[in-house]
Amino acid sequence: MIDPERLKNQSGQAMLLIVLIVTLALSIIGAVVFDSLTQSQITKLQEDSARALAVADGLAEQALRLGDNVSISTGEDALINQGTAVIDKTASNSFTTPVLSKDDIYIVYLSELGVNVDDIIANIRRLITGASGPSSVSRNISISVANSEDFGGQSCPFGLVLELGFIKLGSSIDRTYNIIKCEIGSDYYENLASDDMIKSMGDPFVTPQAHLLVIRVLYKPSGSSSFPGIILKIDSASPLPLQGITVNSSVRTTSGVTQSLTVFQSYPQIAASFLIPNINDN
């Protein structure tokens, strides 16, 4: 004989089991849908971020090419809310070079030769042909290592030698040389030629009258050590001329993603053989 009470209990248990199964299924479906939506949003943000970075880079290149500020608005690109590339013309008392490898040469402008590439080239040609042009200057500067952490904190990494060429442009080009040499154990500067040719890393000194400072990196690694490249900082007691064009570019998408970057384009790096044929020629 069927017990009605027992049958009622079994029906209740079955119903409870069905509710649990449905709840679990809904939870799994909800989790899958949530994960899918999250992944879709992440993918969309990544695409927007990549798009914003590409647009920011393009605006920076356009500003460098035109030599002027540029901008973009929503009407020009449906995905972009706002974008600008602004040229920074602020003078500074310091300048940091890019990473320089062994035997690399970098030119630092000591005098005002112009505010754009065409002006600079024209003034250099004018000076070399004997015509009047921008005057040479004497500056109180110091040169230090900006990436000393790459050399175990050494302010003057062992084996590093910098050749400093001070170039005064004119119908006859005057060249004056200084040397910085780092020895093991301390910031020691070996006398390679004469006392007045050795300058100390980080210590201020007065330059000869010159238009350009040409830095050549010489380095002889010790043992198996490698040379990661040197970044030099030039500090001046007075504002230095602009060393190139700096552009700050920023883009914001309609989804709220923002990308910013700074691009620096150096002024012309004149042929080293023309400026410094050989240090022994001094």
Side-chain angles (χ1 to χ4, degrees):
M1 182 176 179
I2 298 175
D3 186 351
E5 188 65 27
R6 182 179 179 185
L7 185 60
K8 181 179 179 180
N9 290 339
Q10 289 177 342
S11 297
Q13 291 173 355
M15 182 62 69
L16 179 61
L17 182 60
I18 291 172
V19 170
L20 290 174
I21 292 173
V22 171
T23 302
L24 179 61
L26 290 174
S27 298
I28 294 173
I29 293 172
V32 171
V33 171
F34 177 78
D35 183 65
S36 177
L37 290 174
T38 301
Q39 290 299 323
S40 177
Q41 291 175 343
I42 291 174
T43 301
K44 178 65 166 57
L45 288 174
Q46 289 175 337
E47 291 175 350
D48 283 0
S49 179
R51 172 63 177 163
L53 184 60
V55 173
D57 187 58
L59 287 175
E61 289 185 7
Q62 186 179 1
L64 288 173
R65 186 173 63 255
L66 298 176
D68 200 358
N69 301 338
V70 296
S71 62
I72 188 174
S73 61
T74 305
E76 299 172 72
D77 190 321
L79 295 177
I80 304 302
N81 179 265
Q82 185 179 12
T84 58
V86 179
I87 293 178
D88 184 0
K89 298 181 180 180
T90 306
S92 174
N93 288 49
S94 65
F95 172 73
T96 302
T97 70
V99 179
L100 304 176
S101 299
K102 181 180 180 296
D103 296 327
D104 276 355
I105 290 177
Y106 196 84
I107 297 172
V108 178
Y109 289 79
L110 296 178
S111 69
E112 298 280 358
L113 292 178
V115 294
N116 58 55
V117 174
D118 290 339
D119 289 345
I120 290 172
I121 293 175
N123 278 322
I124 290 175
R125 287 175 177 168
R126 187 175 296 112
L127 287 165
I128 292 174
T129 56
S132 61
S135 300
S136 60
V137 297
S138 176
R139 291 185 177 274
N140 189 333
I141 68 170
S142 65
I143 299 175
S144 57
V145 177
N147 61 329
S148 58
E149 66 277 1
D150 292 334
F151 302 94
Q154 298 179 67
S155 60
C156 197
F158 171 55
L160 175 67
V161 179
L162 299 180
E163 176 187 294
L164 311 179
F166 296 93
I167 311 300
K168 184 177 180 181
L169 299 171
S171 53
S172 62
I173 298 177
D174 294 332
R175 305 176 182 89
T176 304
Y177 299 97
N178 292 139
I179 291 292
I180 295 177
K181 183 174 182 180
C182 304
E183 294 289 352
I184 193 167
S186 65
D187 295 350
Y188 172 75
Y189 311 94
E190 180 180 341
N191 187 341
L192 298 183
S194 60
D195 292 339
D196 62 353
M197 289 187 66
I198 308 303
K199 302 301 177 186
S200 299
M201 189 77 76
D203 291 342
F205 64 95
V206 178
T207 73
Q209 288 284 331
H211 291 95
L212 306 170
L213 163 59
V214 184
I215 302 174
R216 177 155 57 180
V217 179
L218 306 176
Y219 189 87
K220 186 176 181 180
S222 176
S224 60
S225 63
S226 61
F227 183 47
I230 200 85
I231 301 174
L232 299 171
K233 183 181 179 185
I234 293 89
D235 289 295
S236 173
S238 58
L240 288 164
L242 293 178
Q243 302 300 311
I245 303 175
T246 300
V247 177
N248 297 311
S249 182
S250 179
V251 169
R252 180 181 177 85
T253 68
T254 52
S255 62
V257 175
T258 300
Q259 285 282 13
S260 300
L261 56 85
T262 298
V263 177
F264 174 76
Q265 184 181 72
S266 173
Y267 282 151
Q269 296 291 297
I270 304 165
S273 59
F274 170 74
L275 295 172
I276 305 182
N278 192 303
I279 187 170
N280 295 322
D281 291 345
N282 185 42

